[in-house]
Amino acid sequence: MNFDVTPVEVVTREFVAVILAGFGNELLPLTGEHGDEPCPKALLPISNKPMLDYPLSWVEQSGIKDVLLICPSSHRSAISHYIHSQSSSASFSSVHIDLQTFDESQELSAGTCSVLRHFANRIKEDFILIPCDFIPPPSLPLSKLLNKFRTDTMSDGSIVTSCWYEHKSDKQATQDEWGWGSPAKPTPIVWDHLSGTLLYVDSPYETDKNRHELELRMTLLSRYPQAKLSSMLLDSHVYVCKRAVLDLLARKTRFDSLRDDFFPWLCKLQYQSTKQEKYATSIRIGIIIHRADDGFAIRVNNLPAYLEANRHFVADTSIGDFTRVEEKSTIKNSTIGKHCVIGKMVKIVGCVLLDHCVISDGAKLDGCILGNSTTVGTKAELVKCVTQAGYEVKDNESVRHEKLDISDWAAQPEDSEGDDEDSIGEEESDEDED
Amino acid sequence: MSPNTTSSTGKDKLIADEEEVLQAVVLADSFNKRFKPLTTHKPRCLLPICNAPLLDWTFESLALAGVQEIFVICRSHAELVKTAIKNSKWSKPGAGLKIVPIVTAKETFTPGDAMRDIYTHGIITSDFVLVTGDLVSNIHIGDVVREHKERRKMDKDAIMTMVVKQSGVNHRTRSKGDSAVFVIDPETSKCLHYEAVTGYPPKKYASIPREILNEHPEVEIRNDLIDCSIDICSVEVPSLFQDNFDYGDVRRDFVHGVLTSDLLMKSIYCYVAKEGYAARVRDTRSYDSISKDILSRWTFPLVPDDNHPGGHSYEHLRGNKYIAKDNSVILSRTCKIGNNTLIGSKSQIADNAQVTASVLGQRCIVGAGSIVRNSYLFDGAVIGPNCVVEHSIIGSGVHIKERTHVERGCLIADGVVVGPQAKLAPFSRLSKRRQDSDEEDEEFEDAEEHFEEEEDGDDEGEDGDDEDEVDSELEDVEANQDPKALAKLGSDTNAIIWPLPVVDEDEAIDDLEHPDNQRLMRIGDNASDLVLSDPGSVTSSESESDSDDDDDDEHFYDSNPASSTTSLPLSTPSNLVAQADSAVISEFQQEVKQSLDRAFAEGHSVDNAAVELKTLRMASNVSLRLVREAVIAAMVSRIKIIAGGGIPQRQEIASMIARWGGLIDKIGGVDPVETVEILQEYCASSDRLPLFGQILAALYQDDIVDEDDIRAWHGMSKSQGQGVKPATLQDCYNKCWVTGAHMIKQFDEQDSDEESEEDSDEGSETREPAVKNPVTKELPLAGGNSSEEGSCEESSDEEDEGDTDEDDSE
């Protein structure tokens, strides 16, 4: 597949899919750097497929040909390598992926609004905003959203169609214990069931303004007298938008986050006549609600979700290619990446191991997520830990409920006794550069 | 629940099996006066709607629901209600309905009081139906009661089920002025939040407590429900009213209170009726809409031609016309009867008369060529020839004489005679003068006074009560008639005009009963001039770029009440605001004066005095300038005028400024130009005019004002007294200005001094610094008046010095 040659421009491109791939700060330390190599969130595997595969194949199934993939510049090579590699290009042969980067650092990432504003000139048509971490359910094809958008825009002034999903997590209690941060909290929203209109999205600003009460405009309730209010739904961050949305975005320069600022504001615009006059558009925001009973949907934007997504797709255990498992080891309910080496008498329960992990003999892992190339020493015991790529757990070490990232490890030299001296030095120098 | 069950084991079974008598409580008092003056001589529940008293419609509705025992709580005109019950068909043997009237004390002012009364009577033994005496309904309340009882078995805390009817937001029977937002759990139909909505001023936000989401993650917010005021209550409800003595209204207080209380732990449910009809006559507007609903048969099987609560029989003709069946109606061949019209027996419609969408009682007469549109004529009303009656309610026995025009929204009480050739303003309310003898002599009062009285005992809100009270109210009204307005009612009239509702400033009137909100409940008032929709304002986050929207909002606010079409003599809001403001200001000035008096008398420190002033200012939210004015006035007024002037006077001023001058800049802002301006203003209008120059100089010396400030002040046109009246004052302003000008002149000279000194006196530095400073600081003392020779001398000395210096330099 020759991605460098621009295909003949189709006269009427209806949609372009804009996939936003960020740093994934919520997934730290998994997304921390491995030496100098970044570990892009978009490429974290979910059941041995990079996360990015899921939205890409979703887009492809809907027949959309053009994808604008936006990632941080530091991730460019890794992601570019991935989309040009044999494994993915085979499956996305019909999609033209335009990879663009923006400059930002992991510590200070630009808001989604500014990213979109920056690329506004590259988007000439209606677009679908998709996060790289949304794992769409098979029962919800993208075309369902597109069709709702098409009918709504034709029939009335709908300019955005959003998608919210219900997520039932049965392991809520245990996840809280882990101390990794709780899974994403649902945002209270108000919508009209009959017309499928999103009316109100609670935002941090609203919470600050009135912590105890939701303030809904009476004009909203007069227009939509049978509105529903729910605090069970999560934003998939999939938005089918008219091109005009970018113009609005350009006018509201102070907005930073699409989810927290822009869309809540847009919702309010729907029933504020004076403002609508000002922006000279009639505005309506459609909504598609995906119920938990209709299929599993999740946004993998934090660690509990990552673990859950991996578990969901793996019936019991999946082991990647070229991985070697020695004798007398037990592996249950786990996903093991490629090129791993698992020693003797190892016990792995409910874990996710990324590629190139080395587990020495007699180690015990329970409910852990190990980043790329993590090495676990002999008879080490990890319970509910997450490690950064390249982390080394020394022999006989026992850690529970911790996020192990390399800076911590380097800061505590006594932990790293007996480990590879070189690597410590490397990490320290890295820190200095920061 | 049932007190007669003794064994705890069989109790549940007994409750389930025993067919309890279904009780109902009818509140036969409206606790407000929206139908005045129609209700001066009879209670609202006895007003006829479609020719049957409201109370009968209520009984009929309850009978339909399978209620067996009804307690009627009456207060105003209790005797009339009792008689009406005795004479109704329900009191006949075999009616299957036991109706017990209960007369409550005159002090029963709210439904809550009535509920407390019920509690003390101890008449309620089980779940009961609570309705008002003005209900028209065909809903199967029995189903609701059953549902309620089922629920009670599961949840002992479910104390009430409200019956609400699904409709549209703008349904004609849904009161715009008094509606509500219900938050309901769609699965259990538990009511989680109740938010009352008043129509005007338009409510902007509904506030839904976030905490309900914890237990009920998905809820419905309903703004399309008609509150039928039918409640299935458990026995606890009256006792809850008893415990919470401040509960007045069943909805706004009780329901809201129970739902928001975290102590009561009771729950209230809604029954959303999708079928059937239920509404209560809350006001004249709903009287109109419910009449129309009955005529268009929404209330089937309760319709005029069948099950008519008054026992009349009507023939139903095409177009929802109903004509009394007994062949006593006399319709002229040339008259026109429009759709949705009901004509009672023995009524006569003369030639060329038109009757459309109206209800005529028995024995009504519509004269030749008259037009009756959207109006309600009670029994025996007579409309003379060539009259027009629109959107009005005409009491029984009213005689409207020829060529009278009754505009929309008029309420004419029983027995009034109007006309001939009268013209009634829209929304007039007329009632009969008590004695028909001429009382023209009483009508000497001014039109102004006419609007000031009335509405004093308002929170009592009653439908007419004690004869005394009615009389006193009537007397008030009668005593304040406007002869000009009366003259328009025609020569034969016996009517008095009820004043338009006004807002009494002192009285805390709740939004619901506010005249503007009440307008939404009047018959015939489309309230098109009230801005009811919220154009969508701007939250404070939308600051910079959206400020224009903010302006829009304010604009809306400003224009709202002022634009009432009905030429209400309401004081316009701007006036009110101005009045309120001036009150605040004078109060503030008073307090500041006292505060400063104390400070001066007791010798507070400047800082303490400043703190006190700041607090005062915050409390009354006045501008900084006022504080400054007060401080300067206090200071200047305390400077003694020393007869000889001269040095003692200067010392007096200097000591005062030294002691208190700092206060001027510590009141929360520094604005020396304004300080000078105020000083001028004060001096010009007081006897301390001669001191202006010296005080200014003293301020200058204490660094409270500096040279540039004086120049800036001097440059302002107002400082010269432009636009100041009267002329004498302007003169004084001018004197001050001249003084200032003089001072500036000195500054100028001095400046050139300095320059010259710096230029020339490099060698003589040993002397200069010591002298120069005092010179620049002490110099400016303006003359401007003859009394201060000393200062004049000194300044002239210095001038001289300056002059010589100048000369030197040149």
Side-chain angles (χ1 to χ4, degrees):
Chain A
M1 286 308 103
N2 218 342
F3 283 94
D4 295 332
V5 179
T6 324
V8 181
E9 198 78 26
V10 185
V11 185
T12 51
R13 272 203 319 195
E14 192 185 4
F15 291 108
V16 59
V18 179
I19 300 183
L20 297 176
F23 282 105
N25 283 336
E26 292 291 308
L27 285 167
L28 281 174
L30 280 182
T31 48
E33 291 184 354
H34 176 213
D36 290 336
E37 288 293 308
C39 298
K41 171 187 179 183
L43 299 185
L44 286 181
I46 291 169
S47 92
N48 285 329
K49 270 201 293 184
M51 202 187 276
L52 189 57
D53 263 25
Y54 295 88
L56 275 178
S57 56
W58 200 41
V59 167
E60 192 192 28
Q61 282 163 20
S62 72
I64 287 170
K65 299 278 185 268
D66 298 276
V67 172
L68 176 63
L69 179 60
I70 301 175
C71 71
S73 35
S74 54
H75 292 176
R76 184 188 178 103
S77 60
I79 291 179
S80 155
H81 177 259
Y82 162 71
I83 56 178
H84 291 89
S85 71
Q86 203 55 44
S87 62
S88 66
S89 55
S91 48
F92 304 120
S93 53
S94 63
V95 180
H96 167 74
I97 300 175
D98 180 9
L99 181 64
Q100 292 294 333
T101 60
F102 58 96
D103 290 320
E104 59 175 349
S105 64
Q106 188 143 10
E107 286 74 33
L108 191 79
S109 50
T112 36
C113 285
S114 33
V115 172
L116 212 54
R117 265 184 227 116
H118 185 250
F119 290 101
N121 56 348
R122 292 190 167 268
I123 304 169
K124 298 269 184 285
E125 53 283 282
D126 299 349
F127 60 98
I128 311 144
L129 207 57
I130 305 171
C132 71
D133 57 9
F134 182 57
I135 312 297
S139 55
L140 179 73
L142 180 55
S143 50
K144 186 174 170 188
L145 265 77
L146 298 182
N147 286 340
K148 160 111 176 128
F149 177 77
R150 287 173 182 131
T151 40
D152 280 2
T153 44
M154 293 306 286
S155 55
D156 54 33
S158 177
I159 61 164
V160 177
T161 300
S162 63
C163 172
W164 293 70
Y165 65 96
E166 183 186 2
H167 181 69
K168 274 189 189 142
S169 173
D170 38 15
K171 295 167 228 123
Q172 197 101 25
T174 51
Q175 279 167 349
D176 286 344
E177 288 168 23
W178 288 3
W180 295 349
S182 48
K185 279 244 167 58
T187 316
I189 60 166
V190 176
W191 81 97
D192 180 49
H193 186 66
L194 298 174
S195 59
T197 307
L198 179 63
L199 302 174
Y200 173 87
V201 180
D202 204 28
S203 62
Y205 167 71
E206 296 289 340
T207 334
D208 284 353
K209 203 169 71 172
N210 193 339
R211 214 148 39 81
H212 303 293
E213 284 162 333
L214 279 169
E215 292 189 334
L216 299 180
R217 275 190 180 276
M218 286 309 294
T219 38
L220 180 164
L221 296 175
S222 306
R223 181 102 62 93
Y224 300 98
Q226 290 193 28
K228 289 189 174 203
L229 164 66
S230 173
S231 61
M232 285 158 67
L233 299 175
L234 290 147
D235 186 5
S236 70
H237 213 285
V238 176
Y239 293 100
V240 190
C241 304
K242 280 199 90 69
R243 178 63 176 73
V245 170
L246 289 176
D247 302 335
L248 280 178
L249 199 58
R251 289 178 65 170
K252 303 299 290 185
T253 44
R254 75 203 156 78
F255 283 145
D256 187 42
S257 158
L258 285 171
R259 192 188 57 187
D260 292 341
D261 302 327
F262 183 66
F263 284 114
W265 172 79
L266 212 54
C267 282
K268 287 187 183 168
L269 220 56
Q270 294 180 91
Y271 36 84
Q272 300 196 351
S273 49
T274 44
K275 282 219 207 142
Q276 287 204 6
E277 277 163 32
K278 183 173 167 189
Y279 295 101
T281 41
S282 74
I283 288 170
R284 196 168 80 84
I285 300 183
I287 183 169
I288 291 239
I289 289 174
H290 181 80
R291 293 288 175 182
D293 298 341
D294 301 338
F296 177 85
I298 196 166
R299 268 196 78 185
V300 186
N301 50 6
N302 54 31
L303 291 168
Y306 183 68
L307 198 62
E308 199 183 341
N310 270 294
R311 283 186 178 159
H312 173 79
F313 284 105
V314 177
D316 181 20
T317 294
S318 104
I319 295 180
D321 301 339
F322 313 111
T323 286
R324 195 178 74 221
V325 182
E326 302 279 349
E327 59 199 13
K328 290 187 181 164
S329 288
T330 38
I331 301 176
K332 277 187 193 163
N333 290 328
S334 298
T335 312
I336 314 289
K338 297 170 197 148
H339 306 286
C340 292
V341 178
I342 294 172
K344 295 172 191 157
M345 310 283 286
V346 170
K347 205 174 170 189
I348 299 177
V349 180
C351 294
V352 179
L353 273 60
L354 269 49
D355 300 346
H356 304 288
C357 287
V358 178
I359 315 293
S360 307
D361 299 351
K364 280 186 187 167
L365 302 176
D366 183 8
C368 295
I369 307 175
L370 301 188
N372 267 328
S373 316
T374 302
T375 51
V376 178
T378 337
K379 291 196 176 156
E381 199 178 330
L382 294 182
V383 179
K384 291 177 179 166
C385 290
V386 193
T387 65
Q388 185 171 353
Y391 190 85
E392 295 179 20
V393 182
K394 63 182 173 117
D395 297 350
N396 296 320
E397 195 178 354
S398 169
V399 187
R400 287 167 176 268
H401 303 280
E402 283 207 48
K403 290 183 186 175
L404 303 168
D405 49 36
I406 287 171
S407 55
D408 278 357
W409 174 62
Q412 294 169 311
E414 71 274 9
D415 277 0
S416 58
E417 268 181 293
D419 274 332
D420 197 344
E421 296 295 327
D422 290 353
S423 70
I424 300 169
E426 232 173 68
E427 299 310 329
E428 274 172 353
S429 66
D430 265 359
E431 281 215 324
D432 292 344
E433 281 166 34
D434 290 346
Chain B
M1 232 178 214
S2 48
N4 51 351
T5 53
T6 43
S7 77
S8 58
T9 48
K11 192 176 177 183
D12 283 352
K13 207 172 182 188
L14 269 171
I15 290 173
D17 291 347
E18 185 188 357
E19 201 49 63
E20 285 175 35
V21 173
L22 183 54
Q23 293 177 311
V25 171
V26 176
L27 299 178
D29 200 299
S30 56
F31 303 105
N32 57 50
K33 42 168 81 169
R34 293 172 195 164
F35 275 78
K36 284 244 150 160
L38 290 170
T39 51
T40 36
H41 295 295
K42 63 168 116 151
R44 183 195 296 185
C45 61
L46 295 182
L47 291 183
I49 186 165
C50 291
N51 291 348
L54 277 166
L55 198 58
D56 283 346
W57 286 95
T58 310
F59 290 156
E60 194 78 57
S61 308
L62 291 173
L64 206 65
V67 172
Q68 288 143 296
E69 196 173 53
I70 300 177
F71 298 102
V72 182
I73 313 292
C74 13
R75 189 179 74 95
S76 51
H77 307 290
E79 287 310 314
L80 287 175
V81 179
K82 272 171 145 176
T83 329
I85 292 172
K86 204 185 286 168
N87 296 337
S88 78
K89 63 174 177 181
W90 305 108
S91 306
K92 291 181 185 122
L97 208 56
K98 188 178 155 201
I99 301 178
V100 185
I102 295 173
V103 181
T104 68
K106 291 290 172 217
E107 290 75 39
T108 311
F109 295 133
T110 61
D113 292 337
M115 293 302 280
R116 285 182 272 278
D117 222 36
I118 293 169
Y119 176 79
T120 39
H121 277 82
I123 46 178
I124 298 300
T125 54
S126 73
D127 296 352
F128 66 99
V129 184
L130 174 68
V131 297
T132 50
D134 42 22
L135 175 76
V136 177
S137 151
N138 64 359
I139 283 183
H140 295 288
I141 305 176
D143 296 348
V144 194
V145 175
R146 215 165 299 127
E147 202 175 275
H148 177 75
K149 289 193 170 173
E150 285 298 314
R151 197 178 289 130
R152 287 277 288 174
K153 284 180 194 161
M154 321 293 284
D155 178 6
K156 281 279 168 230
D157 291 328
I159 52 163
M160 185 161 148
T161 304
M162 302 184 278
V163 180
V164 288
K165 170 88 184 81
Q166 183 173 328
S167 74
V169 197
N170 296 318
H171 192 283
R172 64 179 169 194
T173 321
R174 191 172 184 271
S175 173
K176 276 200 182 63
D178 180 15
S179 57
V181 174
F182 294 84
V183 178
I184 300 174
D185 184 324
E187 276 167 29
T188 61
S189 69
K190 183 174 176 176
C191 183
L192 305 168
H193 179 68
Y194 175 88
E195 181 127 350
V197 177
T198 29
Y200 192 87
K203 189 179 172 71
K204 275 193 162 181
Y205 290 102
S207 304
I208 296 162
R210 284 172 194 273
E211 60 185 17
I212 63 173
L213 290 172
N214 299 340
E215 278 182 42
H216 306 274
E218 206 155 301
V219 296
E220 278 185 342
I221 304 167
R222 301 293 294 263
N223 190 29
D224 60 341
L225 301 175
I226 296 177
D227 189 344
C228 312
S229 294
I230 304 173
D231 301 324
I232 318 300
C233 302
S234 302
V235 266
E236 291 100 314
V237 172
S239 68
L240 275 174
F241 270 100
Q242 181 72 17
D243 296 344
N244 298 276
F245 55 86
D246 53 336
Y247 286 173
D249 190 75
V250 177
R251 288 286 179 274
R252 282 163 196 258
D253 297 327
F254 177 75
V255 171
H256 186 260
V258 169
L259 292 180
T260 50
S261 162
D262 35 10
L263 294 172
L264 292 175
M265 304 297 286
K266 302 288 182 196
S267 45
I268 293 177
Y269 287 79
C270 280
Y271 177 89
V272 182
K274 296 206 168 60
E275 288 175 1
Y277 181 88
R280 64 173 286 219
V281 180
R282 302 165 178 272
D283 41 56
T284 46
R285 175 183 284 266
S286 57
Y287 179 90
D288 180 36
S289 62
I290 291 172
S291 300
K292 298 270 161 62
D293 288 342
I294 295 172
L295 293 179
S296 14
R297 311 178 75 74
W298 287 104
T299 55
F300 190 85
L302 301 182
V303 284
D305 53 316
D306 198 5
N307 294 317
H308 186 266
H312 305 173
S313 55
Y314 293 93
E315 189 182 1
H316 180 213
L317 304 174
R318 194 180 56 178
N320 290 332
K321 293 175 216 169
Y322 304 85
I323 313 274
K325 252 183 181 170
D326 54 359
N327 273 333
S328 59
V329 176
I330 301 168
L331 298 181
S332 148
R333 211 150 44 87
T334 50
C335 75
K336 281 185 190 147
I337 309 295
N339 289 350
N340 293 322
T341 301
L342 184 141
I343 297 172
S345 59
K346 302 189 188 74
S347 289
Q348 300 174 24
I349 317 277
D351 295 346
N352 295 317
Q354 294 179 26
V355 179
T356 314
S358 299
V359 173
L360 271 58
Q362 297 177 329
R363 300 178 304 280
C364 287
I365 296 168
V366 178
S370 286
I371 299 172
V372 177
R373 222 181 280 141
N374 291 308
S375 295
Y376 303 90
L377 275 56
F378 295 173
D379 294 352
V382 177
I383 311 278
N386 297 315
C387 294
V388 178
V389 179
E390 279 184 293
H391 282 291
S392 295
I393 303 179
I394 314 292
S396 58
V398 169
H399 190 176
I400 294 175
K401 296 199 170 172
E402 68 268 18
R403 281 198 284 285
T404 295
H405 199 119
V406 180
E407 289 268 16
R408 68 201 157 93
C410 290
L411 305 181
I412 302 178
D414 297 355
V416 168
V417 179
V418 183
Q421 297 186 4
K423 188 163 166 48
L424 268 64
F427 309 108
S428 309
R429 300 186 298 164
L430 304 184
S431 75
K432 200 170 89 172
R433 188 180 299 282
R434 277 168 306 160
Q435 305 92 334
D436 273 326
S437 64
D438 270 349
E439 286 181 342
E440 300 298 323
D441 48 330
E442 275 193 18
E443 298 169 3
F444 53 86
E445 252 85 346
D446 272 348
E448 282 167 31
E449 268 169 89
H450 169 76
F451 295 111
E452 273 165 35
E453 44 71 59
E454 216 321 64
E455 308 275 312
D456 12 5
D458 222 53
D459 13 4
E460 296 171 16
E462 70 293 317
D463 250 2
D465 22 299
D466 263 355
E467 284 310 310
D468 308 345
E469 236 176 277
V470 174
D471 281 358
S472 69
E473 200 177 352
L474 271 176
E475 249 167 50
D476 269 354
V477 175
E478 273 180 23
N480 293 296
Q481 290 297 307
D482 176 10
K484 279 181 225 148
L486 277 181
K488 285 187 187 159
L489 297 182
S491 49
D492 297 348
T493 187
N494 64 351
I496 51 169
I497 302 175
W498 286 60
L500 293 166
V502 287
V503 196
D504 193 340
E505 269 180 57
D506 303 332
E507 197 180 323
I509 189 168
D510 59 349
D511 288 346
L512 186 63
E513 299 296 328
H514 190 279
D516 274 339
N517 193 42
Q518 290 291 323
R519 289 192 52 201
L520 296 169
M521 308 185 187
R522 294 204 290 209
I523 182 171
D525 194 342
N526 58 12
S528 55
D529 54 315
L530 295 178
V531 180
L532 298 173
S533 66
D534 173 13
S537 74
V538 185
T539 46
S540 50
S541 79
E542 312 266 323
S543 46
E544 356 84 308
S545 59
D546 290 334
S547 54
D548 46 344
D549 293 9
D550 269 324
D551 296 342
D552 286 356
D553 270 11
E554 278 160 31
H555 169 72
F556 272 111
Y557 259 95
D558 287 344
S559 63
N560 282 348
S563 59
S564 319
T565 49
T566 41
S567 67
L568 298 177
L570 286 172
S571 37
T572 58
S574 55
N575 265 341
L576 286 180
V577 167
Q579 279 169 22
D581 273 2
S582 68
V584 165
I585 286 169
S586 68
E587 191 181 331
F588 169 78
Q589 282 168 338
Q590 202 61 35
E591 287 193 38
V592 166
K593 194 170 170 299
Q594 284 165 4
S595 156
L596 288 171
D597 282 349
R598 269 198 308 281
F600 280 99
E602 297 166 18
H604 293 178
S605 76
V606 169
D607 285 328
N608 285 351
V611 168
E612 204 165 323
L613 289 180
K614 276 181 196 165
T615 335
L616 278 174
R617 174 164 165 254
M618 268 182 248
S620 43
N621 192 25
V622 296
S623 70
L624 191 58
R625 188 188 168 100
L626 283 173
V627 189
R628 203 181 298 280
E629 278 172 6
V631 170
I632 290 174
M635 233 175 341
V636 175
S637 64
R638 274 180 181 73
I639 296 175
K640 289 193 203 93
I641 301 180
I642 291 168
I647 292 166
Q649 177 74 69
R650 277 180 67 202
Q651 278 168 347
E652 166 74 19
I653 291 171
S655 70
M656 176 59 81
I657 301 295
R659 172 72 175 88
W660 290 106
L663 189 56
I664 296 174
D665 286 345
K666 283 197 174 147
I667 52 172
V670 178
D671 189 350
V673 181
E674 197 178 80
T675 304
V676 182
E677 205 184 314
I678 292 168
L679 180 67
Q680 178 193 22
E681 195 181 315
Y682 183 81
C683 289
S685 50
S686 76
D687 55 350
R688 282 167 174 75
L689 176 62
L691 306 188
F692 174 75
Q694 286 170 314
I695 296 171
L696 187 57
L699 288 176
Y700 174 78
Q701 294 209 353
D702 279 6
D703 283 332
I704 293 160
V705 295
D706 61 29
E707 192 183 322
D708 292 340
D709 303 325
I710 297 176
R711 284 179 200 280
W713 159 76
H714 191 259
M716 294 194 306
S717 62
K718 201 181 167 232
S719 315
Q720 296 179 46
Q722 281 177 18
V724 178
K725 288 188 178 124
T728 48
L729 191 62
Q730 187 174 357
D731 226 34
C732 297
Y733 265 77
N734 207 23
K735 272 184 194 160
C736 294
W737 185 75
V738 169
T739 314
H742 190 68
M743 207 154 149
I744 284 168
K745 194 177 151 214
Q746 290 176 5
F747 287 138
D748 289 341
E749 288 161 356
Q750 196 180 314
D751 277 354
S752 44
D753 274 6
E754 282 172 34
E755 279 164 33
S756 59
E757 278 166 20
E758 273 160 35
D759 287 346
S760 60
D761 294 326
E762 261 154 41
S764 57
E765 261 176 41
T766 48
R767 185 184 65 102
E768 276 316 315
V771 176
K772 199 166 90 181
N773 273 343
V775 166
T776 47
K777 273 298 165 196
E778 263 171 35
L779 159 80
L781 275 182
N785 64 70
S786 52
S787 72
E788 21 178 353
E789 290 103 346
S791 62
C792 280
E793 271 171 30
E794 200 170 307
S795 61
S796 61
D797 281 345
E798 277 154 2
E799 261 173 65
D800 291 343
E801 209 178 299
D803 282 344
T804 50
D805 279 347
E806 212 168 40
D807 291 343
D808 285 350
S809 68
E810 282 162 5

